[in-house]
Amino acid sequence: MNRQSFIISLRVQVVVSCLLSSFFFLSENGYASEQVTFIETIETPTDNATATVRGRVVDTNGEPLIGATIREKGGANGTVSDIDGNFFLSVPDSAILQVSFIGYETVEVKVAGRAMLEISLRENTVMLDNVIVTALGLEKDESTLAYSTQKIKGEELNRVKEINMITALAGKAAGVQVNKNSSGMGGSAKITLRGVRSVSGDNQPLYVIDGVPMSNTSPEQAYSAIGGTANAGNRDGGDGISNLNPDDIESVSVLTGPSAAALYGASAANGVILINTKKGEAGKMRIDVSSSVEFMTPLTMPKFQNRYGISGNYYSWGDKLENQSSYDPKDFFQTGVNVTNAASLSTGTDKNQTYLSLGTTNAKGIIHNNDYERYNVTVRNVAKMLKDKLTLDLSFMLSSVKEQNMTSQGLYYNPLVPLYLFPAGDDFSKVQAYQRYD
């Protein structure tokens, strides 16, 4: 073999060898050893990655809420906060947490990839309506009390403006009997809780205004069960509770049981009526203006005969009159009117709240010359100091009252007795003038 043929043969062998190597090692059907590796890839969206979220549930004052419920909206994950208000929960980054607690508003919080959440809940004012202020100003849930108590809101007392705001309790509280004296404008009221306890003594309950007990008796007030004090001629001089401005009342709580009034001692033997006045609201300014006008006239009158004249000097049922008498006792009365105006300002912050109110009451009774005027000024300021450890509550109430010609009770001082006994046929104009000059 010459040199040229040897070179050609060598090139052919190299090419064939390279082709065979490629065939055996790269072909799927080759018999050379082959290692196969299986790799599985799971693609997961980034926003649904599950993570453990830590958080703390507190109230508006920063105090932890124990047992608050935290659950994923639309999911089954949930937990409750511990004694420090902390919680741990595994949820996706795109989850929305619903946080709820009894007496507080439910809030929704987006996780949005955050690992630590600070959640603050506000009190639910609708649910707090069942909270009652008991003895010594303690606030308790109505369902947890072991004694009888009732709460009436100020709005209920002011539906119809009464000069004496305590008379508005009639028909609004069980076991409370309200007897309004017929002494005209500004008359007092006799309140009995669960019936009369003493025949000759005082049956009035104890009145407590913003935690301060107040005496409601008067030396000229008919307050006993048998008709009043004889030495005062059954004259009604009004009572202390009638001097309050009804628009300043936030709520009235009636404590009828002995257990409820035990903290006030023997003076609360007839029960306690707790009166809570309004105070400023934090975070906003509010101005309220109200005005009302009430007209009064006798609803019913006794039936009187007008066919028989005078018998003797002062009595009816004498001889039959030729012409029927036109005397009507209803003509003696006039149309009464009660005008009430009030304006109040409420403002404050979380640390200081202020309440200011002005009120006027001008009334004229159905009996001539029976007039009543009252002017009220109320200022109340509530401040929290020393990191809310000390609360200072200052209130000032000023009342200027003028009463004129209060109607007396009984037989000798009551003007209705001679009015009803006036004989038909006589001239009433002779005695109609209520003023005589010397």
Side-chain angles (χ1 to χ4, degrees):
M1 180 180 297
N2 55 17
R3 181 179 178 183
Q4 184 176 1
S5 61
F6 173 76
I7 294 175
I8 294 174
S9 175
L10 180 60
R11 289 179 178 178
V12 172
Q13 290 179 358
V14 172
V15 172
V16 173
S17 176
C18 290
L19 291 175
L20 292 175
S21 298
S22 301
F23 177 79
F24 287 127
F25 289 98
L26 298 180
S27 175
E28 295 182 354
N29 298 323
Y31 59 85
S33 62
E34 180 180 5
Q35 182 178 1
V36 182
T37 304
F38 296 93
I39 301 176
E40 181 179 3
T41 304
I42 301 177
E43 295 183 358
T44 304
T46 307
D47 56 348
N48 289 331
T50 303
T52 301
V53 179
R54 299 175 59 243
R56 187 167 181 260
V57 183
V58 297
D59 58 10
T60 53
N61 297 323
E63 297 295 331
L65 296 179
I66 306 172
T69 302
I70 304 96
R71 67 182 185 89
E72 179 186 357
K73 184 177 182 180
N77 297 329
T79 184
V80 294
S81 58
D82 59 14
I83 192 172
D84 296 322
N86 299 321
F87 68 90
F88 300 88
L89 186 64
S90 297
V91 292
D93 291 341
S94 61
I96 299 177
L97 301 182
Q98 291 181 332
V99 185
S100 60
F101 190 71
I102 297 177
Y104 291 79
E105 297 179 357
T106 301
V107 299
E108 295 184 355
V109 180
K110 294 182 179 180
V111 176
R114 292 179 293 176
M116 181 63 188
L117 301 175
E118 185 77 12
I119 303 173
S120 178
L121 300 184
R122 294 185 301 177
E123 295 179 348
N124 192 334
T125 56
V126 176
M127 299 187 65
L128 289 178
D129 288 342
N130 294 328
V131 175
I132 289 183
V133 178
T134 60
L136 300 182
L138 302 177
E139 295 184 357
K140 295 184 178 180
D141 192 349
E142 183 178 5
S143 60
T144 63
L145 297 178
Y147 47 80
S148 174
T149 182
Q150 301 172 76
K151 179 181 178 181
I152 302 94
K153 296 181 180 179
E155 292 81 359
E156 295 293 331
L157 300 177
N158 289 318
R159 288 186 182 275
V160 178
K161 298 289 185 179
E162 294 280 354
I163 295 180
N164 191 345
M165 50 80 56
I166 208 64
T167 58
L169 286 177
K172 295 182 175 64
V176 179
Q177 183 178 1
V178 181
N179 294 325
K180 184 178 180 181
N181 284 353
S182 57
S183 53
M185 298 290 100
S188 61
K190 184 177 68 175
I191 307 294
T192 55
L193 306 181
R194 303 289 185 181
V196 176
R197 290 176 171 84
S198 176
V199 176
S200 59
D202 188 1
N203 290 280
Q204 289 273 33
L206 176 66
Y207 291 89
V208 180
I209 303 176
D210 292 332
V212 180
M214 187 195 75
S215 176
N216 194 44
T217 58
S218 172
E220 296 184 353
Q221 179 180 343
Y223 59 83
S224 67
I226 60 175
T229 55
N231 58 351
N234 283 338
R235 294 190 301 270
D236 183 11
D239 51 6
I241 203 67
S242 63
N243 297 332
L244 295 181
N245 183 7
D247 292 278
D248 291 338
I249 306 302
E250 178 72 24
S251 65
V252 175
S253 299
V254 181
L255 311 181
T256 57
S259 301
L263 292 176
Y264 292 106
S267 58
N270 297 323
V272 178
I273 295 181
L274 299 177
I275 299 176
N276 303 305
T277 60
K278 296 179 180 179
K279 58 183 179 180
E281 298 182 11
K284 61 181 179 180
M285 178 182 293
R286 179 175 178 177
I287 298 176
D288 294 326
V289 179
S290 64
S291 180
S292 67
V293 180
E294 179 185 4
F295 296 96
M296 293 159 283
T297 186
L299 179 61
T300 58
M301 293 286 296
K303 293 183 178 180
F304 300 93
Q305 66 85 19
N306 54 6
R307 291 185 175 272
Y308 297 89
I310 302 175
S311 173
N313 295 327
Y314 307 103
Y315 303 102
S316 297
W317 301 101
D319 297 334
K320 188 174 182 179
L321 300 175
E322 296 181 359
N323 297 321
Q324 185 173 340
S325 174
S326 61
Y327 171 70
D328 186 1
K330 192 174 183 179
D331 297 336
F332 171 78
F333 300 98
Q334 65 179 0
T335 300
V337 60
N338 177 21
V339 180
T340 303
N341 299 299
S344 64
L345 170 65
S346 173
T347 184
T349 62
D350 294 337
K351 301 295 183 181
N352 195 333
Q353 300 92 38
T354 303
Y355 175 82
L356 171 65
S357 73
L358 302 173
T360 63
T361 300
N362 302 94
K364 179 178 67 174
I366 60 175
I367 296 180
H368 293 273
N369 208 30
N370 174 215
D371 300 326
Y372 180 87
E373 296 179 358
R374 185 184 67 214
Y375 302 94
N376 297 92
V377 177
T378 302
V379 179
R380 185 177 182 185
N381 184 265
V382 180
K384 295 181 179 181
M385 298 174 288
L386 301 178
K387 297 182 179 179
D388 297 343
K389 295 181 179 180
L390 177 63
T391 301
L392 184 62
D393 190 343
L394 299 177
S395 61
F396 172 80
M397 294 183 180
L398 176 64
S399 299
S400 176
V401 180
K402 179 182 177 181
E403 300 172 342
Q404 183 175 354
N405 196 25
M406 302 291 290
T407 306
S408 299
Q409 311 298 312
L411 179 61
Y412 300 102
Y413 298 97
N414 192 340
L416 297 182
V417 175
L419 176 68
Y420 289 169
L421 295 181
F422 190 83
D426 201 354
D427 186 7
F428 187 71
S429 62
K430 296 184 298 183
V431 296
Q432 188 174 10
Y434 55 88
Q435 291 182 350
R436 295 182 182 275
Y437 300 92
D438 296 336

